[in-house]
Amino acid sequence: MKMKHISKIIAIIGLLLVGMPKANAQVTVDAKIDSLQLLIGEQAKVTLEVSLDANQKLQLPMLRDTLVRGVEILDIAKPDTQMLNEGKRMLIEQEYTITSFDSALYYLPPFEVLVNDQPYRSKALALKVYSVPVDTLNPDNFYVRRNLVFARLK
């Protein structure tokens, strides 16, 4: 009688352990921008980095031509994958080239990726876009000089 009771307890514990989800492997999602301030029409690079186990399935955000209203995506580079820890982990980087033609302070919301159909988010970013000062009295001087190096051609 006592043996049957112990075997039932062991069976229940076994079923609970089998039915429990495995501990999630650590997934990190990070976003960074190479320039927090731009003049209208200048470009910046936003890099999305995802670190995950090599056996996990990743789905990157499906962005098209706009990051947020007023911030356009000019180019989406192919994802770059690095294998880490003897092939046990992956670091995947996705680079977006962005620009804006409206001066404002933009809130760039977190990027959301899916790892094994579970959502993970990066931190939010900010981008300040300034208008270009124009001297209407001297229209030939409409550009802003920024550390330009001029070469004399012979």
Side-chain angles (χ1 to χ4, degrees):
M1 183 82 149
K2 192 174 187 183
M3 195 62 153
K4 277 187 173 182
H5 190 64
I6 292 174
S7 63
K8 283 183 181 179
I9 292 173
I10 291 174
I12 291 172
I13 291 173
L15 287 173
L16 289 174
L17 290 176
V18 170
M20 289 178 63
K22 295 180 182 174
N24 285 342
Q26 184 173 352
V27 174
T28 59
V29 181
D30 189 30
K32 50 191 170 188
I33 188 166
D34 68 353
S35 181
L36 299 173
Q37 301 178 10
L38 301 177
L39 291 175
I40 287 178
E42 287 187 323
Q43 298 177 7
K45 302 259 189 219
V46 176
T47 304
L48 173 64
E49 290 183 350
V50 183
S51 174
L52 65 156
D53 281 347
N55 62 353
Q56 293 179 302
K57 185 179 121 188
L58 172 66
Q59 183 178 342
L60 292 168
M62 300 299 261
L63 301 172
R64 299 271 183 247
D65 59 353
T66 305
L67 199 53
V68 294
R69 185 176 180 169
V71 179
E72 298 177 20
I73 299 173
L74 300 176
D75 183 53
I76 301 174
K78 289 183 179 180
D80 179 37
T81 303
Q82 298 176 39
M83 298 305 289
L84 307 171
N85 296 348
E86 299 172 359
K88 295 177 185 169
R89 294 207 36 96
M90 292 188 297
L91 177 64
I92 300 173
E93 291 185 4
Q94 175 84 64
E95 189 175 84
Y96 303 89
T97 305
I98 61 170
T99 191
S100 178
F101 296 100
D102 296 314
S103 60
L105 174 61
Y106 292 98
Y107 169 79
L108 307 180
F111 287 89
E112 183 173 286
V113 300
L114 295 177
V115 177
N116 291 344
D117 297 322
Q118 183 175 353
Y120 292 88
R121 301 178 102 196
S122 71
K123 65 184 177 207
L125 300 172
L127 176 67
K128 176 65 178 162
V129 180
Y130 293 97
S131 60
V132 178
V134 177
D135 183 356
T136 56
L137 297 177
N138 300 305
D140 294 336
N141 298 331
F142 69 94
Y143 60 90
V144 177
R145 294 181 187 217
R146 280 187 152 197
N147 301 328
L148 298 176
V149 177
F150 294 96
R152 178 176 264 177
L153 299 175
K154 292 184 180 183

